Amino acid sequence: GAYTHSYLVSLFSSMLAKQFEWDSLPTTETIVMGCLLHDIGKLKLPKDLLDKRPAQMTPEELAQYKTHPKLGVQIVEKNRMISPSVKQIILQHHEASDGSGFPDGLRDARIQTLSKIVILANDFVHIIQDKKLAPAAALRELLSSPNAAKHYNAHTLESFLKVFIDPEKVTAMDRESRVKSMIKA
């Protein structure tokens, strides 16, 4: 469900953030908080809408769905415990480097770096969950998309590959077994 999704997005976002030289504990905490709250705006959407994936929605439903990042920021707006960076992640988690995302159609330079990480991890986790794939297969699926190179920030995508090819970070078998057990939950 939604909890597993947010948890997996947090897991893969924090693994990805560790690939950057600027990574720190406060940065990881910001990313994890942003991931846990990224879909909070969906609380304001009708339940029947949440049972569908965007590809199954009517144009009207899709337009309503695309409001959830802004609704999420409205929910947390007055909470001073939630940093501006976390609010940016909530707002920008569906943007795309080529400007084809939502809610604001921002291009790469206007998207916060931490949001670029969550955008990629969020889509990756949707592939894992929707198609019930292991992470390696989901990565192949993500990379085989004709839009991947335009949709994601190139440096972020390159760094994400290192999560999977650098055995020093997390062993593939350990990672796959943990993720498989979470997907079944």
Side-chain angles (χ1 to χ4, degrees), residues 44-179:
K44 291 191 167 194
L45 295 178
K47 168 87 176 81
D48 61 319
L49 188 65
L50 301 181
D51 293 335
K52 297 179 180 182
R53 293 293 301 130
Q56 304 164 319
M57 295 177 189
T58 66
E60 296 77 21
E61 289 172 330
L62 189 59
Q64 189 175 18
Y65 172 80
K66 287 182 175 186
T67 65
H68 82 264
K70 287 189 177 182
L71 293 172
V73 172
Q74 287 171 14
I75 291 170
V76 301
E77 204 165 34
K78 291 184 173 69
N79 187 328
R80 283 182 286 198
M81 299 294 289
I82 297 175
S83 73
S85 291
V86 169
K87 292 172 185 170
Q88 283 294 100
I89 289 170
I90 294 168
L91 183 63
Q92 296 180 350
H93 76 274
H94 280 293
E95 295 291 354
S97 289
D98 61 3
S100 67
F102 63 89
D104 296 314
L106 301 178
R107 291 194 168 272
D108 193 67
R110 306 246 345 262
I111 303 170
Q112 173 186 276
T113 301
L114 299 184
S115 296
K116 291 174 189 178
I117 289 171
V118 177
I119 290 163
L120 178 56
N122 185 43
D123 286 356
F124 178 71
V125 170
H126 276 302
I127 292 169
I128 288 174
Q129 291 184 303
D130 292 351
K131 299 188 177 190
K132 296 180 179 24
L133 296 175
L139 183 63
R140 280 192 295 278
E141 176 92 12
L142 181 90
L143 295 174
S144 69
S145 162
N147 296 327
K150 296 183 302 193
H151 197 78
Y152 307 108
N153 171 270
H155 185 57
T156 306
L157 194 53
E158 181 183 323
S159 299
F160 194 54
L161 291 173
K162 290 179 189 171
V163 168
F164 293 91
I165 59 176
D166 184 353
E168 299 289 317
K169 299 294 177 205
V170 184
T171 66
M173 202 156 126
D174 178 47
R175 179 175 53 246
E176 289 215 9
S177 64
R178 272 201 325 255
V179 170

Side-chain angles (χ1 to χ4, degrees), residues 7-19 23 28-29 31-32 35 117 121 163:
Y7 178 81
L8 289 171
V9 174
S10 298
L11 175 71
F12 286 107
S13 291
S14 55
M15 290 167 66
L16 174 50
K18 288 183 185 344
Q19 302 302 315
D23 179 55
T28 300
E29 289 172 349
I31 283 181
V32 168
C35 291
I117 289 171
V163 168

